[in-house]
Amino acid sequence: MQQAQQWIAEASRIAALTGAGISAESGVPTFRGASGMWKRFRPEDLATPGAFSRDPKLVWEWYCWRRGIIAGSAPNAGHFALAGIEKRAAAFTLITQNVDGLHDRAGSRNILKVHGDIWDVRCLSCGREERDERVEFPELPPRCGCGGMLRPAVVWFGEGLPQDVWNAAEDAVRSCEVMLVVGTSAVVYPAAGLVPLAKSAGAKVIEINVDETQFSSLVDFSLRGPSGELLPRLLQPAAGS
Ligand code: BV8
Ligand code: ZN
Protein backbone atom coordinates (compact mmCIF):
# COMPACT_ATOMS: atom_id res chain seq x y z
CA MET A 1 0.00 0.00 0.00
CA GLN A 2 2.93 2.29 0.79
CA GLN A 3 4.26 2.21 -2.77
CA ALA A 4 0.74 2.76 -4.19
CA GLN A 5 0.24 5.77 -1.88
CA GLN A 6 3.58 7.13 -3.09
CA TRP A 7 2.61 6.83 -6.77
CA ILE A 8 -0.64 8.65 -6.07
CA ALA A 9 1.04 11.41 -4.05
CA GLU A 10 3.52 12.01 -6.88
CA ALA A 11 1.02 11.82 -9.75
CA SER A 12 -0.36 15.00 -11.26
CA ARG A 13 -2.79 13.24 -13.62
CA ILE A 14 -4.99 10.54 -12.10
CA ALA A 15 -7.95 8.67 -13.61
CA ALA A 16 -10.39 6.39 -11.82
CA LEU A 17 -12.81 3.81 -13.22
CA THR A 18 -15.56 2.70 -10.84
CA GLY A 19 -18.16 -0.06 -10.98
CA ALA A 20 -21.07 -1.29 -8.88
CA GLY A 21 -18.70 -2.53 -6.15
CA ILE A 22 -17.98 1.00 -4.90
CA SER A 23 -21.69 1.40 -4.08
CA ALA A 24 -22.07 -2.03 -2.44
CA GLU A 25 -21.27 -0.63 1.03
CA SER A 26 -23.99 1.96 0.45
CA GLY A 27 -26.48 -0.89 0.18
CA VAL A 28 -26.87 -0.70 -3.60
CA PRO A 29 -26.73 -4.29 -4.94
CA THR A 30 -24.04 -5.16 -7.48
CA PHE A 31 -24.87 -6.93 -10.73
CA ARG A 32 -22.60 -9.95 -10.54
CA GLY A 33 -20.68 -11.74 -7.82
CA ALA A 34 -21.90 -13.19 -4.56
CA SER A 35 -24.62 -10.67 -3.74
CA GLY A 36 -25.19 -9.66 -7.36
CA MET A 37 -28.72 -8.86 -8.44
CA TRP A 38 -28.27 -10.42 -11.86
CA LYS A 39 -28.77 -13.83 -10.18
CA ARG A 40 -32.49 -13.10 -9.98
CA PHE A 41 -32.56 -11.26 -13.29
CA ARG A 42 -30.56 -11.88 -16.47
CA PRO A 43 -29.00 -8.91 -18.28
CA GLU A 44 -30.54 -10.06 -21.58
CA ASP A 45 -33.98 -10.00 -19.94
CA LEU A 46 -33.82 -6.45 -18.70
CA ALA A 47 -30.99 -4.13 -19.76
CA THR A 48 -31.58 -4.32 -23.54
CA PRO A 49 -33.71 -2.38 -26.04
CA GLY A 50 -35.34 -5.66 -27.08
CA ALA A 51 -36.43 -6.44 -23.54
CA PHE A 52 -37.86 -2.94 -23.24
CA SER A 53 -39.85 -3.11 -26.45
CA ARG A 54 -41.16 -6.56 -25.47
CA ASP A 55 -42.08 -5.67 -21.89
CA PRO A 56 -41.54 -2.01 -20.93
CA LYS A 57 -43.52 -2.48 -17.71
CA LEU A 58 -41.19 -5.26 -16.46
CA VAL A 59 -38.07 -3.23 -17.26
CA TRP A 60 -39.54 -0.20 -15.53
CA GLU A 61 -40.43 -2.28 -12.45
CA TRP A 62 -36.74 -3.24 -12.23
CA TYR A 63 -35.59 0.37 -12.56
CA CYS A 64 -38.18 1.62 -10.05
CA TRP A 65 -36.98 -1.04 -7.60
CA ARG A 66 -33.40 0.22 -8.08
CA ARG A 67 -34.49 3.88 -7.88
CA GLY A 68 -36.09 3.12 -4.52
CA ILE A 69 -32.94 1.47 -3.15
CA ILE A 70 -30.67 4.25 -4.46
CA ALA A 71 -32.96 7.03 -3.12
CA GLY A 72 -32.66 5.41 0.33
CA SER A 73 -28.87 5.02 0.12
CA ALA A 74 -26.01 7.40 0.79
CA PRO A 75 -22.48 7.71 -0.58
CA ASN A 76 -19.88 5.80 1.47
CA ALA A 77 -16.28 6.55 2.45
CA GLY A 78 -15.07 5.27 -0.92
CA HIS A 79 -17.14 7.83 -2.84
CA PHE A 80 -15.99 10.60 -0.49
CA ALA A 81 -12.33 9.58 -0.82
CA LEU A 82 -12.54 9.97 -4.61
CA ALA A 83 -14.25 13.37 -4.22
CA GLY A 84 -11.39 14.36 -1.91
CA ILE A 85 -8.53 13.36 -4.23
CA GLU A 86 -10.25 15.27 -7.05
CA LYS A 87 -9.75 18.45 -5.05
CA ARG A 88 -6.06 17.71 -4.39
CA ALA A 89 -4.76 16.24 -7.64
CA ALA A 90 -3.72 18.59 -10.45
CA ALA A 91 -5.89 16.63 -12.90
CA PHE A 92 -8.38 13.98 -11.81
CA THR A 93 -11.01 12.32 -14.01
CA LEU A 94 -13.65 10.02 -12.57
CA ILE A 95 -15.07 7.54 -15.07
CA THR A 96 -18.02 5.57 -13.73
CA GLN A 97 -20.09 2.69 -15.08
CA ASN A 98 -22.55 3.29 -12.26
CA VAL A 99 -25.84 5.00 -12.94
CA ASP A 100 -26.69 5.52 -9.24
CA GLY A 101 -25.50 9.14 -8.93
CA LEU A 102 -23.69 8.48 -5.63
CA HIS A 103 -20.47 10.07 -6.90
CA ASP A 104 -22.39 13.32 -7.54
CA ARG A 105 -23.87 13.19 -4.05
CA ALA A 106 -20.40 12.65 -2.55
CA GLY A 107 -19.21 15.90 -4.14
CA SER A 108 -17.31 14.62 -7.19
CA ARG A 109 -17.44 17.16 -10.00
CA ASN A 110 -15.63 15.91 -13.08
CA ILE A 111 -17.61 12.68 -13.64
CA LEU A 112 -17.80 10.79 -16.93
CA LYS A 113 -20.94 8.59 -16.76
CA VAL A 114 -20.25 6.12 -19.54
CA HIS A 115 -23.49 4.17 -18.95
CA GLY A 116 -25.71 7.17 -18.19
CA ASP A 117 -27.70 8.10 -15.09
CA ILE A 118 -30.69 6.21 -13.64
CA TRP A 119 -32.44 9.51 -12.84
CA ASP A 120 -32.53 10.60 -16.49
CA VAL A 121 -35.41 9.57 -18.76
CA ARG A 122 -35.85 9.92 -22.53
CA CYS A 123 -39.04 10.02 -24.61
CA LEU A 124 -39.20 7.46 -27.41
CA SER A 125 -41.43 9.79 -29.46
CA CYS A 126 -40.09 13.33 -29.15
CA GLY A 127 -36.61 12.39 -27.92
CA ARG A 128 -36.74 14.86 -25.02
CA GLU A 129 -34.32 13.85 -22.25
CA GLU A 130 -34.74 15.16 -18.73
CA ARG A 131 -34.04 14.39 -15.10
CA ASP A 132 -36.97 12.72 -13.33
CA GLU A 133 -36.35 11.75 -9.71
CA ARG A 134 -39.64 9.97 -9.07
CA VAL A 135 -39.46 6.46 -7.56
CA GLU A 136 -43.18 5.82 -8.15
CA PHE A 137 -45.00 6.70 -11.37
CA PRO A 138 -48.77 7.00 -11.94
CA GLU A 139 -48.44 4.33 -14.63
CA LEU A 140 -45.68 2.07 -16.00
CA PRO A 141 -44.23 2.72 -18.49
CA PRO A 142 -44.41 6.47 -17.64
CA ARG A 143 -45.52 8.91 -20.33
CA CYS A 144 -43.95 12.11 -21.68
CA GLY A 145 -45.99 15.31 -21.92
CA CYS A 146 -46.24 14.58 -25.65
CA GLY A 147 -47.91 11.24 -24.90
CA GLY A 148 -44.85 9.24 -25.92
CA MET A 149 -43.36 6.42 -23.81
CA LEU A 150 -40.44 7.24 -21.51
CA ARG A 151 -37.39 4.95 -21.10
CA PRO A 152 -34.51 5.12 -18.62
CA ALA A 153 -31.82 7.18 -20.37
CA VAL A 154 -29.10 4.63 -19.53
CA VAL A 155 -26.91 2.66 -21.96
CA TRP A 156 -28.29 -0.86 -22.48
CA PHE A 157 -26.47 -3.85 -23.98
CA GLY A 158 -26.08 -3.44 -27.70
CA GLU A 159 -26.32 0.36 -27.42
CA GLY A 160 -23.45 2.72 -28.05
CA LEU A 161 -21.98 4.78 -25.23
CA PRO A 162 -22.38 8.58 -25.40
CA GLN A 163 -19.60 9.43 -27.87
CA ASP A 164 -18.31 12.62 -26.27
CA VAL A 165 -18.25 11.05 -22.81
CA TRP A 166 -16.46 7.96 -24.14
CA ASN A 167 -13.87 10.01 -26.01
CA ALA A 168 -13.15 12.04 -22.88
CA ALA A 169 -12.76 8.81 -20.88
CA GLU A 170 -10.27 7.39 -23.39
CA ASP A 171 -8.31 10.66 -23.43
CA ALA A 172 -8.13 10.76 -19.62
CA VAL A 173 -6.93 7.15 -19.45
CA ARG A 174 -4.35 7.65 -22.20
CA SER A 175 -2.83 10.65 -20.46
CA CYS A 176 -2.99 9.63 -16.79
CA GLU A 177 0.04 8.60 -14.73
CA VAL A 178 -1.99 6.57 -12.25
CA MET A 179 -5.31 4.81 -12.80
CA LEU A 180 -7.52 3.47 -10.02
CA VAL A 181 -9.88 0.61 -10.94
CA VAL A 182 -12.46 0.28 -8.18
CA GLY A 183 -15.27 -2.25 -7.67
CA THR A 184 -15.72 -3.48 -11.21
CA SER A 185 -15.85 -7.07 -12.47
CA ALA A 186 -14.32 -5.72 -15.70
CA VAL A 187 -16.50 -7.92 -17.93
CA VAL A 188 -18.54 -5.22 -19.70
CA TYR A 189 -17.01 -3.56 -22.77
CA PRO A 190 -15.95 -1.09 -23.93
CA ALA A 191 -15.52 0.22 -20.33
CA ALA A 192 -13.40 -2.78 -19.27
CA GLY A 193 -11.04 -2.03 -22.15
CA LEU A 194 -9.92 1.13 -20.35
CA VAL A 195 -7.81 -0.99 -17.99
CA PRO A 196 -5.46 -2.51 -20.60
CA LEU A 197 -5.55 0.87 -22.38
CA ALA A 198 -4.10 2.54 -19.26
CA LYS A 199 -1.36 -0.10 -19.03
CA SER A 200 -0.47 0.28 -22.71
CA ALA A 201 -0.29 4.05 -22.20
CA GLY A 202 2.30 3.55 -19.46
CA ALA A 203 0.14 4.36 -16.42
CA LYS A 204 0.52 2.67 -13.04
CA VAL A 205 -2.77 0.82 -12.43
CA ILE A 206 -4.11 0.06 -8.96
CA GLU A 207 -7.16 -2.19 -8.58
CA ILE A 208 -9.39 -2.32 -5.50
CA ASN A 209 -11.78 -5.27 -5.38
CA VAL A 210 -12.99 -7.84 -2.87
CA ASP A 211 -12.42 -10.51 -5.55
CA GLU A 212 -10.01 -11.27 -8.37
CA THR A 213 -10.87 -10.01 -11.83
CA GLN A 214 -9.49 -10.85 -15.26
CA PHE A 215 -7.12 -7.88 -14.88
CA SER A 216 -5.83 -8.60 -11.37
CA SER A 217 -2.59 -10.02 -12.78
CA LEU A 218 -2.25 -7.23 -15.38
CA VAL A 219 -2.42 -4.30 -12.93
CA ASP A 220 0.52 -3.04 -10.86
CA PHE A 221 -1.27 -3.47 -7.52
CA SER A 222 -4.44 -5.44 -6.87
CA LEU A 223 -5.60 -4.51 -3.37
CA ARG A 224 -8.02 -7.08 -2.01
CA GLY A 225 -10.75 -5.62 0.16
CA PRO A 226 -13.77 -3.31 0.34
CA SER A 227 -13.32 0.06 -1.34
CA GLY A 228 -15.03 1.84 1.56
CA GLU A 229 -12.06 0.83 3.72
CA LEU A 230 -9.17 0.75 1.24
CA LEU A 231 -9.81 3.95 -0.76
CA PRO A 232 -9.63 6.32 2.24
CA ARG A 233 -6.35 4.68 3.29
CA LEU A 234 -4.93 4.68 -0.23
CA LEU A 235 -5.93 8.28 -0.95
CA GLN A 236 -5.22 9.80 2.45
CA PRO A 237 -3.35 13.08 2.03
CA ALA A 238 0.39 12.41 2.50
CA ALA A 239 1.48 13.33 6.04
CA GLY A 240 2.23 17.02 6.31
CA SER A 241 0.71 17.88 2.93
C1 BV8 B 1 -21.81 -1.87 -26.99
C2 BV8 B 1 -27.18 -0.55 -17.97
C3 BV8 B 1 -21.89 -1.66 -29.33
C4 BV8 B 1 -27.29 0.57 -17.03
C5 BV8 B 1 -25.21 -1.85 -18.41
C6 BV8 B 1 -23.56 -9.33 -27.74
C7 BV8 B 1 -24.57 -8.44 -28.13
C8 BV8 B 1 -24.49 -7.07 -27.90
C9 BV8 B 1 -23.37 -6.57 -27.24
C10 BV8 B 1 -22.40 -7.46 -26.85
C11 BV8 B 1 -22.46 -8.82 -27.09
N1 BV8 B 1 -21.34 -9.41 -26.56
C12 BV8 B 1 -20.56 -8.47 -26.01
C13 BV8 B 1 -21.18 -7.29 -26.18
C14 BV8 B 1 -20.72 -6.01 -25.71
C15 BV8 B 1 -21.44 -5.72 -24.41
C16 BV8 B 1 -20.71 -6.46 -23.30
O1 BV8 B 1 -19.65 -6.03 -22.92
N2 BV8 B 1 -21.29 -7.58 -22.83
C17 BV8 B 1 -20.60 -8.33 -21.79
C18 BV8 B 1 -21.60 -8.77 -20.72
C19 BV8 B 1 -19.90 -9.52 -22.45
N3 BV8 B 1 -21.38 -4.30 -24.23
C20 BV8 B 1 -22.36 -3.53 -24.71
O2 BV8 B 1 -23.36 -3.96 -25.24
C21 BV8 B 1 -22.10 -2.05 -24.61
N4 BV8 B 1 -22.42 -1.45 -25.87
O3 BV8 B 1 -20.89 -2.61 -27.03
O4 BV8 B 1 -22.44 -1.36 -28.07
C22 BV8 B 1 -22.28 -0.50 -30.14
C23 BV8 B 1 -21.31 0.44 -30.50
C24 BV8 B 1 -21.69 1.51 -31.25
C25 BV8 B 1 -23.04 1.69 -31.62
C26 BV8 B 1 -24.00 0.74 -31.22
C27 BV8 B 1 -23.64 -0.35 -30.48
C28 BV8 B 1 -23.02 -1.43 -23.55
C29 BV8 B 1 -22.53 -1.82 -22.18
C30 BV8 B 1 -23.42 -1.14 -21.12
C31 BV8 B 1 -24.49 -2.11 -20.73
N5 BV8 B 1 -25.30 -1.53 -19.66
N6 BV8 B 1 -26.11 -1.42 -17.54
C32 BV8 B 1 -27.81 0.03 -15.73
O5 BV8 B 1 -28.99 -0.36 -15.68
O6 BV8 B 1 -27.02 -0.03 -14.77
S1 BV8 B 1 -23.91 -2.81 -17.90
C33 BV8 B 1 -23.97 -3.24 -16.26
O7 BV8 B 1 -22.73 -3.89 -15.99
C34 BV8 B 1 -24.00 -2.04 -15.33
O8 BV8 B 1 -24.20 -0.82 -15.98
C35 BV8 B 1 -22.60 -2.01 -14.73
O9 BV8 B 1 -22.14 -0.72 -14.76
C36 BV8 B 1 -21.83 -2.84 -15.69
C37 BV8 B 1 -20.54 -3.41 -15.19
O10 BV8 B 1 -20.76 -4.10 -14.00
P1 BV8 B 1 -19.86 -3.66 -12.73
O11 BV8 B 1 -20.04 -2.21 -12.49
O12 BV8 B 1 -18.46 -4.15 -12.92
O13 BV8 B 1 -20.58 -4.42 -11.56
P2 BV8 B 1 -20.52 -5.99 -11.26
O14 BV8 B 1 -21.65 -6.31 -10.37
O15 BV8 B 1 -20.35 -6.75 -12.55
O16 BV8 B 1 -19.16 -6.16 -10.44
C38 BV8 B 1 -19.06 -5.61 -9.14
C39 BV8 B 1 -17.61 -5.78 -8.74
O17 BV8 B 1 -17.43 -5.14 -7.48
C40 BV8 B 1 -17.21 -7.23 -8.55
O18 BV8 B 1 -15.94 -7.43 -9.13
C41 BV8 B 1 -17.12 -7.40 -7.03
O19 BV8 B 1 -16.10 -8.31 -6.65
C42 BV8 B 1 -16.74 -6.02 -6.61
N7 BV8 B 1 -17.17 -5.61 -5.26
C43 BV8 B 1 -18.31 -5.96 -4.60
N8 BV8 B 1 -18.34 -5.33 -3.39
C44 BV8 B 1 -17.21 -4.57 -3.33
C45 BV8 B 1 -16.46 -4.75 -4.50
N9 BV8 B 1 -15.28 -4.13 -4.72
C46 BV8 B 1 -14.84 -3.31 -3.75
N10 BV8 B 1 -15.50 -3.07 -2.60
C47 BV8 B 1 -16.68 -3.69 -2.34
N11 BV8 B 1 -17.32 -3.45 -1.19
ZN1 ZN C 1 -42.20 13.15 -25.72
Side-chain angles (χ1 to χ4, degrees), residues 22-108:
I22 196 169
S23 298
E25 291 155 271
S26 296
V28 181
T30 60
F31 293 88
R32 302 167 184 84
S35 60
M37 71 170 106
W38 284 129
K39 276 214 293 276
R40 292 204 306 283
F41 312 100
R42 284 165 7 100
E44 309 73 54
D45 296 347
L46 291 168
T48 70
F52 187 73
S53 58
R54 270 194 306 279
D55 191 345
K57 188 169 180 301
L58 172 70
V59 173
W60 264 110
E61 281 167 355
W62 182 51
Y63 278 92
C64 286
W65 172 66
R66 293 172 61 194
R67 281 171 167 242
I69 291 172
I70 292 164
S73 72
N76 64 61
H79 296 103
F80 288 115
L82 289 176
I85 184 88
E86 178 178 13
K87 296 183 183 67
R88 295 197 306 275
F92 179 82
T93 302
L94 175 57
I95 303 156
T96 189
Q97 300 171 86
N98 299 340
V99 297
D100 59 28
L102 289 181
H103 286 303
D104 307 73
R105 288 167 56 192
S108 289

Side-chain angles (χ1 to χ4, degrees), residues 18-25 29-38 43-44 47 62-63 66 76 96-100 114-116 118 152 154-161 163 182-191 208-213 225-228:
T18 62
I22 196 169
S23 298
E25 291 155 271
T30 60
F31 293 88
R32 302 167 184 84
S35 60
M37 71 170 106
W38 284 129
E44 309 73 54
W62 182 51
Y63 278 92
R66 293 172 61 194
N76 64 61
T96 189
Q97 300 171 86
N98 299 340
V99 297
D100 59 28
V114 294
H115 292 164
I118 198 168
V154 298
V155 180
W156 281 331
F157 288 102
E159 294 187 320
L161 278 56
Q163 203 52 53
V182 186
T184 182
S185 60
V187 298
V188 174
Y189 285 81
I208 290 184
N209 200 309
V210 292
D211 287 337
E212 285 240 326
T213 70
S227 47

